[in-house]
Amino acid sequence: MNHEAPMWNDAFGISWLDFNLSNVLMMVIASTIVFIVCVAATRGLQRRPKGFQNFMEWLIDFIKGIIGSNMDWQVGRMFLPLGLTLFTYIFVSNMLGVVTMWAPHHTLWWKSPTSDPGITMTLAVMVVVLTHYYGVKLKGTKEYGKDFTRPLPFLLPFKIIEEFANTLTLGLRLYGNIYAGEILLGLLAGIASTSILGFLGGFLPLLAWQAFSTFIGFIQAFIFTMLTMVYMSHKVSSDH
């Protein structure tokens, strides 16, 4: 897969500012899809849900279950919009590269935005920063600071290291799984396009891997959302 990323180097005349235009495009597309889905879900609401409304209510209950398994609902209810947004955005992002990849003139434009480590690490940093923000907001600065020295003060350096480790594993786990899946999809698509024999040998494995990648995309969105709520619970709950 000798594809290059479409880069905008020295953007706005700033020597250190570079943009991967494929990432920008795919983030906009993923955000637009999630926005349209959420707006459509609020149209024509009925007391007895059916069809798409029924699916969205199931999804909300699914996210509520993730939150409720990690913290008291009286505290966790404020994180329902965060969990729902993270899950839908990451799942849609994961699926974009499973459907197809578009690389005219060996320039890769269409792919999963979550197959780029810069995007997944940004999401991870955002989550960790939010956990600290809500920890301070709900507990107060003094009480929240004491959590880093409990149960023993000498654990402070290890807890600081843990914050960096959580950020790295949260972002790189998502990136690694989606990127590896897209690499294999690209290889199978390349085999299927070489000849009739290649098509016969690569088409069925390609379909099977697309189905498996859909499952992996769902699981990774679930894991990212679950770990977000685990980390949040550790910061906002008094019993951690």
Side-chain angles (χ1 to χ4, degrees):
M1 291 178 60
N2 298 318
H3 299 321
E4 297 181 355
M7 298 297 298
W8 181 15
N9 297 314
D10 301 336
F12 306 110
I14 302 175
S15 59
W16 50 266
L17 185 61
D18 300 327
F19 285 106
N20 185 328
L21 296 181
S22 174
N23 287 345
V24 175
L25 172 66
M26 299 314 298
M27 285 190 293
V28 170
I29 291 175
S31 300
T32 302
I33 292 174
V34 172
F35 177 77
I36 292 173
V37 168
C38 292
V39 170
T42 63
R43 295 293 183 266
L45 296 178
Q46 300 177 5
R47 187 175 295 275
R48 293 183 179 180
K50 59 182 179 180
F52 186 61
Q53 181 184 344
N54 195 47
F55 169 76
M56 290 304 298
E57 291 195 8
W58 171 85
L59 181 59
I60 291 172
D61 286 337
F62 178 70
I63 302 300
K64 287 174 67 176
I66 294 176
I67 298 172
S69 65
N70 288 287
M71 68 187 86
D72 183 78
W73 179 243
Q74 295 301 318
V75 176
R77 63 192 305 171
M78 71 172 65
F79 304 120
L80 179 59
L82 172 63
L84 186 61
T85 302
L86 279 175
F87 182 85
T88 52
Y89 178 79
I90 292 173
F91 178 71
V92 169
S93 296
N94 294 347
M95 291 301 98
L96 291 178
V98 173
V99 176
T100 184
M101 286 182 286
W102 183 49
H105 307 294
H106 297 287
T107 301
L108 186 59
W109 280 94
W110 188 282
K111 64 185 183 66
S112 296
T114 43
S115 66
D116 187 281
I119 293 176
T120 59
M121 287 304 300
T122 300
L123 285 170
V125 170
M126 179 198 73
V127 164
V128 172
V129 169
L130 281 175
T131 62
H132 291 298
Y133 169 77
Y134 281 107
V136 172
K137 180 179 179 179
L138 297 179
K139 290 185 175 180
T141 305
K142 184 176 180 180
E143 186 65 23
Y144 178 72
K146 290 180 180 179
D147 286 343
F148 285 87
T149 58
R150 291 171 178 159
L152 296 171
F154 76 85
L155 293 176
L156 175 62
F158 298 99
K159 291 197 173 185
I160 293 175
I161 294 173
E162 182 184 22
E163 296 299 319
F164 288 99
N166 288 342
T167 306
L168 285 173
T169 55
L170 187 63
L172 294 180
R173 180 189 294 106
L174 177 60
Y175 156 70
N177 280 276
I178 304 306
Y179 179 72
E182 287 200 356
I183 290 292
L184 189 51
L185 282 173
L187 291 174
L188 290 173
I191 293 174
S193 62
T194 54
S195 62
I196 295 178
L197 184 62
F199 177 81
L200 295 176
F203 182 69
L204 289 180
L206 177 62
L207 290 181
W209 191 256
Q210 281 184 315
F212 182 69
S213 294
T214 301
F215 172 74
I216 292 298
F218 176 85
I219 291 298
Q220 289 305 312
F222 167 75
I223 291 174
F224 195 99
T225 306
M226 172 66 80
L227 290 177
T228 296
M229 296 308 158
V230 169
Y231 299 155
M232 192 69 74
S233 175
H234 290 169
K235 302 302 182 185
V236 303
S237 298
S238 306
D239 55 342
H240 288 94

